[in-house]
Amino acid sequence: MQGADLISVSQRWQSRIAASPDYVIVPHDNVFRMGMHSSTIGESTFEQFGRYLHELCTRYSGTLVEDAIPGTVLTTDEGKCYCIQSTEPIHLTGPLPPDPLLKQEMRLVRGIGPKTAVTMRERGCQTIPDLRHHRMYINRADHVLSVLESGPAGAGYLIRTRLGPSHPLGLIASEGFDPAGFRFIDLETLGIFGRPVILFGVGCPDPDGLKIHQILLRDISEEPAALCVIRDLLEGASALVSYNGRSFDWPYLQERCAYYGFDPLPELPHIDLLHYSRRFWKGIIPDCKLSSIERHFLHIGREVDIPGMLVPEWYIRYLETGNCGPLVPIVKHNQQDIASLVHLLNLLRRKARECC
């Protein structure tokens, strides 16, 4: 797309989002009516954040984005975009050799389900290597062992396809990755699929901790340039880590690339922490939102955290007024999401070892 076309697209999205918010305000915070809509916000909460928005706009009136949120202007083949960098002192272990626990799960072998696994153990077969002495399973066992030895990507795929995306062994297999190859991703968008991404968050582990790159669109026309930067950040990555990213963030990124006629981003092993969180904590806490996991298990508290459903409206407020105040909490929200993914991965790995 040419510059004039991108500006036109930006203006159309601005008017479209303003005219059709993706949430319903529930009068008097009626909990029964909240269940009638997929995306709701209580009247008191909406008013509270309305006051907060007013405070932000007053505080940052006349302030440039670059002054309120320090960053760097990056130049790509598709134009310029704005990158904010920060570092969190969080570290991951690894890479570790293949864990013996993986070879104890005989259900990884095709044709062996829960009942057959019990029967085989009663007959003296305790591990996958033991199955190599069984005429029916020798070839299948050899195949599984070769996959497990091939590395964490193959092992993770095998575990997901045979045991499901939330099986704890997937977390144990992920310890075989070099942490430097992880990319922790989180997006802030103007709504559900088909709308622009306004903030791309990518966390990259390095010796100093977690380096967080946030590509903020000062205007929607900067989205193609931002996608170029994301492609560069993913170069050399060995795996993605997200929270519901397998269903939302990653397909969304690919859709935005397709929208601009870009080549698809390279497919990578994807560790979606939402699946594991639901396995461990569904029914124990009211919901499995990342903010709930933070509060109950990571002991992370956010002072004022903007609800995701308000992000499009606040961003449009910034576009309409030029006041960067609404952007500040959006950037902080995304930054905390990325940092929390690392804390959560560490916690889930410990939980996986406790139950395996």
Side-chain angles (χ1 to χ4, degrees), residues 56-115:
L56 289 168
C57 290
T58 301
R59 187 187 313 166
Y60 290 97
S61 177
T63 305
L64 297 175
V65 172
E66 294 80 2
D67 294 329
I69 312 171
T72 304
V73 176
L74 302 179
T75 301
T76 74
D77 292 340
E78 297 293 332
K80 296 181 178 181
C81 61
Y82 193 64
C83 181
I84 305 144
Q85 291 189 354
S86 58
T87 301
E88 296 287 335
I90 318 169
H91 295 85
L92 290 163
T93 58
L96 301 178
D99 195 287
L101 285 172
L102 303 181
K103 296 182 180 180
Q104 295 177 16
E105 181 50 82
M106 289 189 287
R107 289 179 298 166
L108 292 174
V109 177
R110 185 169 55 86
I112 296 184
K115 291 183 179 180

Side-chain angles (χ1 to χ4, degrees), residues 259-281:
Y259 178 81
Y260 291 106
F262 296 164
D263 291 336
L265 296 169
E267 291 295 336
L268 295 165
H270 197 139
I271 305 168
D272 192 330
L273 302 184
L274 173 62
H275 299 298
Y276 300 107
S277 297
R278 283 176 172 166
R279 185 184 186 102
F280 289 130
W281 297 309

Side-chain angles (χ1 to χ4, degrees), residues 13 22 189-196 248 252 312:
W13 275 117
D22 288 331
T189 72
L190 284 184
I192 306 302
F193 289 97
R195 296 180 175 184
F248 182 75
Y252 209 115

